Amino acid sequence: MGRARAIAGLLLAGFAACARVPGQEVPDVRTPLVVVNEMLRLAGVSAADVGYDLGSGDGRILIAAARDRGARGVGYEIDPALVAESTDRARRLGLADRVSFLQQDLFEADLRPATVVTLYLSPDLNRKLRPKLLSELRPGSRIVSHSFDMGDWAPARTLQVSSNEGSHTLYLWIMPATR
Ligand SMILES: C[S@@+](CC[C@H](N)C(=O)[O-])C[C@H]1O[C@@H](n2cnc3c(N)ncnc32)[C@H](O)[C@@H]1O
């Protein structure tokens, strides 16, 4: 019982620590690298792509997309320390000309240049983002979300992936020509 309370307390503290924009609570956790690779594979990311990671954390998704697949990308992240960490890592890996990280609310992003959008947010934020994705992304653009769906917008594919942290569900949507 004591252990369960302690775990619940830690989880609540994690959510509280990440409630950086009022009403937009997102846990401060990272996508395990093995799952990052599966997200990029599910979206079919290549050197022709421009990836946008909305809530880019430590930048791992876009850095892997640039390093392993030659893609370009832009990350939107509200935590300045994470933006600095991502930017520094990209520079040290010689990827600064391919990926950049902006300290900005993801709802302010202009998504029109994106061909792939990656998300690991929350059920609520995904649903709030849906109209923006549908109005700004071009036909054929792909969206991959780690763990969270888009309500009644059925994904084109789902994939179950295991990591040493457990099992992860990935969702893929492809922007239709008409909305
Ligand atoms: C669960 S983490 C995912 C990080 C990374 N995309 C990954 O998969 O490892 C979500 C990130 O979104 C950021 N975030 C939450 N709300 C945001 C907002 N409104 N605008 C920009 N970033 C936001 C948080 O600071 C956090 O770093």
Side-chain angles (χ1 to χ4, degrees), residues 70-132:
R72 288 174 292 132
V74 184
Y76 285 81
E77 171 56 57
I78 42 174
D79 182 332
L82 290 173
V83 173
E85 182 184 337
S86 317
T87 304
D88 186 52
R89 182 144 175 262
R91 188 185 50 74
R92 282 187 283 109
L93 291 169
L95 299 170
D97 59 335
R98 305 199 70 74
V99 290
S100 54
F101 298 95
L102 306 177
Q103 188 201 336
Q104 201 173 319
D105 187 332
L106 59 91
F107 283 94
E108 305 297 320
D110 174 2
L111 301 180
R112 286 171 300 178
T115 59
V116 174
V117 170
T118 47
L119 307 170
Y120 183 22
L121 293 169
S122 70
D124 188 44
L125 278 193
N126 272 17
R127 275 160 227 197
K128 285 187 182 142
L129 252 183
R130 184 173 146 175
K132 181 174 173 65

Side-chain angles (χ1 to χ4, degrees), residues 129-151:
L129 252 183
R130 184 173 146 175
K132 181 174 173 65
L133 296 165
L134 282 164
S135 75
E136 294 182 22
L137 291 177
R138 288 170 287 162
S141 301
R142 293 91 77 205
I143 303 161
V144 174
S145 174
H146 176 185
S147 279
F148 305 114
D149 66 17
M150 294 268 184

Side-chain angles (χ1 to χ4, degrees), residues 18 20-21 24-32 36 39 53-61 76-79 82 104-107 118-121 125 146:
C18 295
R20 297 182 221 278
V21 175
Q24 297 180 14
E25 288 75 17
V26 176
D28 190 12
V29 286
R30 306 282 164 259
T31 299
V36 168
M39 290 175 78
D53 190 20
L54 303 182
S56 49
D58 65 3
R60 60 182 56 201
I61 293 179
Y76 285 81
E77 171 56 57
I78 42 174
D79 182 332
L82 290 173
Q104 201 173 319
D105 187 332
L106 59 91
F107 283 94
T118 47
L119 307 170
Y120 183 22
L121 293 169
L125 278 193
H146 176 185

